[in-house]
Amino acid sequence: MAERRGAPGPLEYTRRFWVRAWLAATFLFLYAPIVILVVFSFNDSRRNIVWRGFTTKYYAKAMANDSLIEAFTNSLVVAFLSTLVSTVLGTLLALALWRFRFPGKPVVEGANALPIVIPEICMGVSLLVFFSSIGLMSGIPWPASLTPIVIGHIAFSFPFVAVVVRARLEGFDRSLEEASKDLGASEWQTLRYVMIPFLKPGIVAGALLAMTLSLDDFVITFFTSGPETITFPIKIYSMVRFGATPEVNAASTVLIAITLLLTVIAMRMQAPVRGEGKE
Amino acid sequence: MSGIPIVRIEGLTKRFGEFAAVDAVSLEIPRNAFFALLGPSGCGKTTLLRMLAGFEQPSEGRILIDGEEMAGVPPNRRPVNMVFQSYAVFPHMTVAENVAYGLKVTGVPRPEIERRVGEALRMVRLSGFERRRPDQLSGGQKQRVALARALVKRPKLLLLDEPLSALDRKLREEMQLELVRLQHEVGITFVIVTHDQGEALSMATHVAVMNQGRVLQISDPRTLYEQPRSRFVADFIGQVNVFEARRVAAGDGELRLAVDGIGELALPDERPPEKVVAVAVRPEKMRVSAVPPEEGRVTIAGRVGQIAYFGDHSRVFVEARGRRLVCIRHNRSRREEPSFREGDPCYLSFRPEDAILLSS
Ligand SMILES: Nc1ncnc2c1ncn2[C@@H]1O[C@H](COP(=O)(O)OP(=O)(O)OP(=O)(O)O)[C@@H](O)[C@H]1O
Ligand SMILES: [Mg+2]
């Protein structure tokens, strides 16, 4: 291209050789493992070390593995429920902290950050102790048996949602809220028609974060899952202990595909409101 | 239309901590008035307006709108709409959606919404912009959206907080005329906050001058300019030459004053205030001449200090008895040569009836 000739401009970092090399190395470091995982899911070999030809039979095999499918379903159900609840809770918490002044507010704010900083292992143990002591850990039929996991996931992911939404709120022009009320809208209508549309990118980002946290959580799930309830990461872990088979790769690839799809959807929803940032 | 004023404010005070932003304000706003709140920055104009809209709770006193007590009535239930200084146009809605918003949330039926939105947009001359987003509008157009959005609600009272301050001068003058036209058209009482005295004088039917939380004077623009009661108002609205004064005698339709820098002054005793502390004369009521003026004018001899040229007029500063007085000369002809230069002796004069009596 014509404009590529000449000395690099001040912001054209990507035209310098060493910057490009660095970028390439970074991408390699980040994505090579994932690419290899995906590629080898199509490898026609039991041992999964040398490439032996293309096949999709491990996908079929993974599909036929009932306990894997069950774990996968569990993970999706848990992720869905905990994302839903923690998004609502986190958003409300952010709104409350932004909107009101009340006694003990700094305490609430601090307590809110706790689940983010507490080591997961501690949270896992404490949840286990808690759930066992109230008898929620065993002898419950299927969907309800996921309750402890869902609650555990909500507990550690809603503060993340709150943090993200709160950051977005800082940029909110309060006179929009006043204008809405001035025009006759109730508190609720103002929330629904003015605040939520403005907060949407933050809420979506928070939800995505909550979902990712839930989908791949191992430690807390490990402690809060009963003997019969198993989620995808835990199932994979138990499978890998007997050697990483292409079946594991196949299942993981499906999960990656789902995550990617959701991320794309989220990014489209996150496209900033037009007109914002001007003025 | 009843005789009660559209707004009645009694002893209204708003304190932030110890500080009274609005201090014991009582006033009435007549129906269909174009009421301007004028005052220096920080004098409490916005606070007063926000109390009318319901965004601030008064510390003391009460507000009646159309005879109804407003205490405890939230902003969304008041028959009042506001145009915000920042416009506060909803960025995620189109122009039409913005204007329709206030009707939608109060459950006005669809066909009526469409009709009224079209009407309101026509009124502010934004027909054809329905589908636009706020980021595709200029400042003046956003302003009109904010106006249409408030007017479409048909409030009893429209509040405008420095609506024109973000516009450039030409657009501002255009919008001033536009606002006056609109107010005539819709017959809604407007309360506008401004710190631009020209804006207040040219648009309003009533002007209230505020300082430090208090209302000093409420008058029609002409009275405010020609008969300000206090030194602050005289000085805030336009320029003025102030002379300290004392009452010497009154009677026989004449008021005699001892005026610093002038001597004894006899004024027609129209409606003399109780107390006189100073006399003020507007610069355009002053005349400067090289020869002593005719009989019947109050004359002060001095020297031309400086002449500032403004195109349509010039300001002549005159040094007289250790003071600096100002006088305006209109440049009525292209060929007119300045008849004096800096340092020339001259006479400043004014008619006694043009002197303003200040009582505080
Ligand atoms: N929420 C508040 N808390 C404390 N003080 C406030 C608050 N709002 C306003 N004030 C103070 O009250 C006084 C009046 O403020 P206000 O905004 O009414 O002034 P204004 O006349 O509108 O000034 P401007 O022309 O600059 O807009 C100011 O001194 C301001 O600092
Ligand atoms: Mg203000």
Side-chain angles (χ1 to χ4, degrees), chain B residues 161-266:
Chain B
D161 191 359
E162 305 203 24
L164 309 180
S165 62
L167 305 180
D168 65 50
R169 200 173 131 185
K170 202 150 170 54
L171 196 54
R172 191 160 64 221
E173 281 166 6
E174 225 171 272
M175 281 304 288
Q176 286 175 5
L177 296 176
E178 191 90 355
L179 279 179
V180 173
R181 177 186 67 83
L182 265 177
Q183 201 260 338
H184 279 299
E185 204 171 309
V186 294
I188 291 171
T189 310
F190 281 28
V191 179
I192 186 170
V193 162
T194 170
H195 53 226
D196 178 341
Q197 37 140 325
E199 197 168 290
L201 293 183
S202 67
M203 294 200 290
T205 57
H206 298 69
V207 182
V209 180
M210 287 185 72
N211 189 31
Q212 299 184 343
R214 292 176 172 275
V215 171
L216 301 180
Q217 185 170 354
I218 303 177
S219 309
D220 61 290
R222 196 183 175 82
T223 312
L224 197 69
Y225 186 78
E226 303 293 0
Q227 285 171 37
R229 282 200 295 270
S230 57
R231 204 183 298 235
F232 180 85
V233 175
D235 202 35
F236 191 72
I237 313 276
Q239 263 189 317
V240 81
N241 297 300
V242 180
F243 307 89
E244 303 301 316
R246 247 172 332 101
R247 178 198 297 254
V248 176
D252 294 337
E254 208 179 56
L255 177 69
R256 306 188 73 80
L257 298 170
V259 182
D260 281 6
I262 294 179
E264 195 161 286
L265 183 61

Side-chain angles (χ1 to χ4, degrees), chain B residues 116-129:
Chain B
R116 277 167 70 175
V117 167
E119 214 172 84
L121 286 176
R122 212 168 313 122
M123 211 147 54
V124 298
R125 310 203 168 140
L126 274 184
S127 303
F129 286 72

